[in-house]
Amino acid sequence: DGGITQSPKYLFRKEGQNVTLSCEQNLNHDAMYWYRQDPGQGLRLIYYSQIVNDFQKGDIAEGYSVSREKKESFPLTVTSAQKNPTAFYLCASRRRTGTYTDTQYFGPGTRLTVL
Amino acid sequence: ELKVEQNPLFLSMQEGKNYTIYCNYSTTSDRLYWYRQDPGKSLESLFVLLSNGAVKQEGRLMASLDTKARLSTLHITAAVHDLSATYFCAVDLLGNQFYFGTGTSLTVIP
C-alpha cells in the first residue's frame, strides 16, 4: 500500500524537552511538507523540502528543525525553543512535476501535547 | 504574502438543501485545491482546479475556479449528513508551497 505514515499518533512532551515526529512516504514523491494545525484553524507551513538534503522554512519555522537525508523520510524536531507546541502536526508529500499540478497527500497526523 | 479567505467559517444546513462555500485569494494563481477534513483526522483531497473556468464534480460536490476574480466555489447539492466535515481550499503559489484557507466547518442537520 502506497501512502504516508506518521508516528507516533499521540505524543506528550515535558517542558524543555526536544521531541521528534516521524514522517515516511513510499509514494516516491520528491516534495515533503510539515504543517501545524491549531484547534479550529487552518494549516500553517513549518518547513518544506523539494529534494534530498535541501529544505526551506515556512511561515512558522521558529522552534522547529528538520532533516531530509532520504527521499522517503522527513522528520520534524520540536525543540524547547518552541514555546507553545501543543497542536496537531500533519506531514504531506507531493509529486514534483514540471508543471507542479499535483495535489498534496497527507499523513494521518501526530497530536502533540505539552504537559 | 498570499492570503486565502473562506466564507462562511461555519455552516449549518438541513439535509436536502443546497449551499455554496466561497474561497477568495489575494494573488494571481491558476492552481486551486479543495480538501476535506473529518474531526480529528487528516486531510483528504477532493478537487484539483488548474485553469480559469475549471469545473470538477464528484457526487453532491462541485468545485469551480475563476482566476480573474481570484475566486473558487464549492457547491453542495442536496446535502446529506455524510458531508458534515471541515472543507479547506488551498492555493499553490509558484509550485513551492500551498496557502490554506481558514476552513469552513459544515454541519448537515437531519
Side-chain angles (χ1 to χ4, degrees):
Chain A
D1 266 317
I4 303 174
T5 58
Q6 291 185 242
S7 62
K9 186 174 181 179
Y10 299 97
L11 184 58
F12 298 92
R13 192 194 93 168
K14 294 180 181 178
E15 295 279 354
Q17 193 178 41
N18 292 356
V19 292
T20 297
L21 284 59
S22 169
C23 177
E24 303 276 333
Q25 54 98 359
N26 61 4
L27 299 168
N28 199 32
H29 286 174
D30 294 288
M32 297 186 74
Y33 307 80
W34 273 106
Y35 294 93
R36 169 180 172 143
Q37 186 178 32
D38 293 284
Q41 299 191 26
L43 278 67
R44 292 185 290 168
L45 182 65
I46 305 172
Y47 270 97
Y48 66 100
S49 167
Q50 296 192 312
I51 55 173
V52 174
N53 292 323
D54 188 47
F55 47 83
Q56 285 76 42
K57 293 181 180 180
D59 298 323
I60 57 165
E62 186 175 349
Y64 300 96
S65 66
V66 294
S67 64
R68 186 88 187 275
E69 297 176 0
K70 298 187 296 182
K71 186 176 183 178
E72 51 276 12
S73 178
F74 192 39
L76 173 74
T77 297
V78 184
T79 74
S80 56
Q82 171 50 238
K83 297 306 178 190
N84 185 21
T86 295
F88 188 44
Y89 290 85
L90 287 160
C91 178
S93 71
R94 186 189 195 195
R95 186 168 54 100
R96 183 167 172 245
T97 65
T99 54
Y100 296 96
T101 57
D102 203 15
T103 189
Q104 291 188 6
Y105 296 87
F106 285 82
T110 292
R111 197 165 298 277
L112 173 63
T113 303
V114 173
L115 300 174
Chain B
E1 180 187 326
L2 176 61
K3 292 193 185 300
V4 183
E5 295 182 342
Q6 287 181 237
N7 70 81
L9 297 183
F10 298 94
L11 176 57
S12 181
M13 56 190 298
Q14 286 187 312
E15 279 191 332
K17 299 292 187 182
N18 304 335
Y19 208 84
T20 300
I21 298 170
Y22 297 89
C23 173
N24 291 88
Y25 53 99
S26 61
T27 302
T28 300
S29 174
D30 57 2
R31 300 186 185 95
L32 193 292
Y33 305 80
W34 283 96
Y35 295 87
R36 167 184 172 140
Q37 185 178 37
D38 291 303
K41 304 292 186 183
S42 187
L43 273 71
E44 171 192 354
S45 178
L46 292 175
F47 298 109
V48 178
L49 303 168
L50 299 175
S51 61
N52 186 41
V55 177
K56 295 280 184 72
Q57 182 163 6
E58 179 74 33
R60 301 174 187 275
L61 300 177
M62 184 174 71
S64 66
L65 178 62
D66 181 344
T67 59
K68 294 179 182 178
R70 298 177 187 171
L71 170 70
S72 179
T73 61
L74 181 66
H75 187 72
I76 302 155
T77 302
V80 293
H81 180 68
D82 285 351
L83 291 179
S84 296
T86 298
Y87 294 86
F88 291 96
C89 62
V91 176
D92 179 0
L93 190 65
L94 303 177
N96 289 329
Q97 60 183 63
F98 284 18
Y99 290 84
F100 282 82
T102 47
T104 295
S105 177
L106 170 65
T107 302
V108 180
I109 304 167

